[in-house]
Amino acid sequence: MLAEPYRIKVVEPVKIPSRKQRERILKKAHYNIFNVRSEDVYIDLLTDSGTAAMSCNQWAGIMLGDEAYANCRNYFNLKRAIKKIFGFKHFVPTHQGRAAEHILFSTIIKPGMIVPSNMHFDTTRANIIANGGKPINLPVNDAYKPFKKAPFKGNMDTKKLRKLLDEDSEKVPLVMLTITNNSCGGQPVSMKNIRKVSKICKDYGKPLFIDACRYAENAYFIKEREPGYKNKSILEIANEIFSLADGCTFSGKKDALVNIGGFLAMNDSKLFEKVKQRLILVEGFPTYGGLAGRDLEAMARGLLEGIDEDYLRSRIAQVHYLGKRLNEEGIPIIQPVGGHAVYVEAKHFLPHIPQAEFPAQALVVELYREAAVRAVEIGSVMFAEKDEKGKTKYPKLEMMRLAIPRRVYTNAHMDVVVEAHVKISERKEEISGYKIVKGSGPLRHFTAWFKPVK
Ligand code: F0G
């Protein structure tokens, strides 16, 4: 068995507040984990985004930041790395993924347009809505079967895509594909599915944009699970994925192992001209976007480290270690375990709490109360919405996500997380549901205030 392909050079101390303190902290935070101070968290699994430990090579790159307004050297290093992996003709740096989404959608969406995807993440969905568009999710049916083991549950339902394009083609400015599919459990998308979606897009003359945050993890799963890819390198698989698309939005905070950064890439030169104008308005000059030269350098180096196979093996192995241990303890988690996180199915874990009382939110609160571990709700707080008649529609999956930062925690930390679940499980009947006392809109989960129902 292989351990981590690195040794630890710098450490950051963390503390665990007492149970009494945790109780007070939760109350003060109005039971919204986003309001808890990082210093009061022992193990922070809120997100794998922007939380990676950078390498000595990346930190060395930070010192080589060229902070010129135009054409700094780090821009060209980033350009080389993007060309090597993604291959698109043009790109602009952005400060993170959602800025790339904002620039793309504000440039090409007109009110009333529809943007289909296998599944949009929350910021993608909100950016489409903010520009007057309608986000539509077309996942395969397996995506909604939390305990079914299938290798590529992140796939798009291509029949539904064809049907949508048959009926409403003129309303669709582009098709998106999120790899891996974060909102349905970090599940990968197969090359076969990407190729099929790409073919349909070509048939209808629609550009395909990939939300590529976790493309390297997706490529790793293709190598592991899809026939014909065992002997291909991660780079070759990534090249093949992006050759099937017309562009991508990218958050460097995931697979590029940086704390901030992103980009928007595309082949269409006309679109690129418009994007540059928009970028100058909201992010910055096209060679730095919303970033400092040093950030561009860290991302250029991180992109290359992110496709290293030994790194990816140990990364995914840690996520799967947590999943395996939770499985052994009988905690209901989404199967199979995905790339960046383990997702606990809260409706099954806390069946006495109705969805209207946010069982996944209740579990997030309980995990902090039990062990000062911070997770995030990906369920009804995030995704419930009202239909035309004002009736609340609840999402099919009610999940608590345990997202694992890259190169940050050890498996001993994962054991603490498992133990906390076991303890919660022993007293789960006592756990109350929650109601929202403040907060609305598609991004309410970041700011809402809650109160226990009992
Ligand atoms: N797309 C996906 C699939 C994401 O998971 C995220 C961010 C974004 C786009 C936006 O990128 O944060 O750089 O602006 N996901 C983080 C998460 C926040 O916790 O899953 P960003």
Side-chain angles (χ1 to χ4, degrees):
M1 225 186 83
L2 286 174
E4 284 77 5
Y6 50 82
R7 54 190 175 192
I8 296 165
K9 203 184 199 108
V10 178
V11 294
E12 182 182 3
V14 284
K15 284 196 302 253
I16 180 159
S18 69
R19 184 167 275 263
K20 218 164 134 199
Q21 284 170 328
R22 299 200 294 270
E23 204 58 63
R24 214 172 323 133
I25 289 162
L26 278 173
K27 212 173 250 170
K28 207 172 140 214
H30 300 279
Y31 301 96
N32 186 335
I33 208 78
F34 285 102
N35 291 334
V36 173
R37 292 169 74 139
S38 159
E39 281 169 296
D40 293 328
V41 175
Y42 177 44
I43 301 173
D44 202 346
L45 308 185
L46 179 71
T47 180
D48 64 319
S49 179
T51 51
M54 291 208 297
S55 66
C56 51
N57 178 47
Q58 284 175 291
W59 280 110
I62 292 269
M63 289 308 290
L64 297 174
D66 166 359
E67 305 306 341
Y69 190 91
N71 301 318
C72 68
R73 80 169 83 88
N74 316 105
Y75 165 78
F76 296 99
N77 293 343
L78 178 61
K79 188 175 180 171
R80 247 194 318 277
I82 292 176
K83 190 92 209 146
K84 178 174 168 157
I85 299 168
F86 299 81
F88 296 118
K89 273 198 206 131
H90 311 289
F91 87 99
V92 289
T94 58
H95 78 275
Q96 60 184 86
R98 69 198 67 181
E101 293 162 8
H102 169 72
I103 286 163
L104 176 66
F105 297 140
S106 63
T107 308
I108 64 175
I109 292 187
K110 297 203 172 53
M113 283 182 162
I114 297 171
V115 182
S117 171
N118 50 342
M119 222 181 258
H120 294 288
F121 193 62
D122 59 351
T123 59
T124 325
R125 171 171 162 263
N127 260 308
I128 293 168
I129 294 170
N131 284 289
K134 190 175 169 197
I136 289 204
N137 291 335
L138 303 174
V140 288
N141 289 336
D142 278 353
Y144 294 126
K145 296 177 189 153
F147 308 118
K148 177 162 178 185
K149 285 195 176 172
F152 293 105
K153 287 166 78 175
N155 283 353
M156 183 186 262
D157 187 325
T158 49
K159 281 206 189 91
K160 286 190 192 143
L161 176 63
R162 217 175 249 289
K163 185 161 176 281
L164 177 85
L165 288 168
D166 276 340
E167 288 165 5
D168 268 326
S169 176
E170 76 291 348
K171 285 192 191 152
V172 176
L174 79 164
V175 175
M176 300 272 311
L177 206 48
T178 312
I179 64 170
T180 56
N181 188 343
N182 189 2
S183 308
C184 89
Q187 303 290 336
V189 178
S190 71
M191 190 72 85
K192 194 171 159 200
N193 191 249
I194 300 172
R195 192 171 295 113
K196 240 186 190 167
V197 171
S198 170
K199 164 86 172 52
I200 295 171
C201 288
K202 283 206 175 69
D203 289 350
Y204 288 83
K206 302 294 172 192
L208 170 62
F209 272 71
I210 293 186
D211 176 342
C213 301
R214 300 180 181 88
Y215 79 97
E217 290 169 6
N218 200 100
Y220 185 82
F221 283 118
I222 288 176
K223 185 176 167 88
E224 290 273 290
R225 297 180 182 172
E226 193 161 348
Y229 288 93
K230 202 170 68 189
N231 297 321
K232 290 227 156 91
S233 70
I234 298 297
L235 179 62
E236 284 169 325
I237 296 171
N239 287 162
E240 189 174 335
I241 291 173
F242 296 112
S243 74
L244 296 165
D246 302 287
C248 74
T249 55
F250 185 72
S251 165
K253 299 170 75 172
K254 286 84 171 171
D255 279 355
L257 297 159
V258 285
N259 305 124
I260 196 73
F263 63 81
L264 168 63
M266 72 221 76
N267 285 330
D268 183 338
S269 302
K270 275 201 193 124
L271 176 64
F272 181 53
E273 288 309 314
K274 285 191 204 152
V275 157
K276 275 194 289 189
Q277 294 309 311
R278 184 85 195 135
L279 186 90
I280 294 168
L281 187 66
V282 296
E283 285 282 282
F285 188 72
T287 60
Y288 73 85
L291 295 171
R294 54 179 172 267
D295 300 324
L296 300 173
E297 188 63 38
M299 187 154 63
R301 293 177 182 219
L303 274 170
L304 301 178
E305 290 178 20
I307 54 172
D308 179 88
E309 220 163 285
D310 288 337
Y311 150 71
L312 276 171
R313 185 179 305 113
S314 105
R315 155 75 178 154
I316 306 257
Q318 182 169 59
V319 179
H320 285 234
Y321 173 79
L322 175 61
K324 180 171 157 276
R325 294 274 287 104
L326 288 169
N327 268 334
E328 283 164 3
E329 298 295 348
I331 309 298
I333 60 168
I334 306 287
Q335 306 285 350
V337 175
H340 65 294
V342 176
Y343 294 66
V344 180
E345 220 299 325
K347 273 191 294 186
H348 286 77
F349 196 36
L350 302 173
H352 62 289
I353 302 180
Q355 228 173 338
E357 293 176 10
F358 309 116
Q361 177 63 20
L363 195 51
V364 168
V365 171
E366 225 48 48
L367 192 59
Y368 182 79
R369 179 175 278 135
E370 183 60 50
V373 173
R374 175 155 65 174
V376 75
E377 196 260 14
I378 301 194
S380 297
V381 180
M382 196 183 266
F383 287 127
E385 52 190 4
K386 293 225 182 333
D387 65 13
E388 301 82 45
K389 290 181 196 137
K391 194 168 171 264
T392 304
K393 275 192 340 202
Y394 291 99
K396 291 193 178 124
L397 298 175
E398 187 70 34
M399 303 181 291
M400 176 182 73
R401 185 185 73 173
L402 303 159
I404 305 184
R406 293 164 181 80
R407 305 191 292 209
V408 170
Y409 292 113
T410 66
N411 283 2
H413 289 108
M414 299 302 117
D415 289 338
V416 171
V417 176
V418 175
E419 205 174 298
H421 280 80
V422 173
K423 293 238 177 79
I424 294 170
S425 191
E426 284 163 4
R427 57 176 176 79
K428 64 180 174 182
E429 280 76 21
E430 301 161 16
I431 296 170
S432 164
Y434 283 78
K435 62 181 172 196
I436 293 181
V437 291
K438 201 176 119 186
S440 60
L443 295 173
R444 66 178 177 178
H445 48 288
F446 291 114
T447 54
W449 288 9
F450 300 89
K451 248 196 181 137
V453 172
K454 292 196 288 218

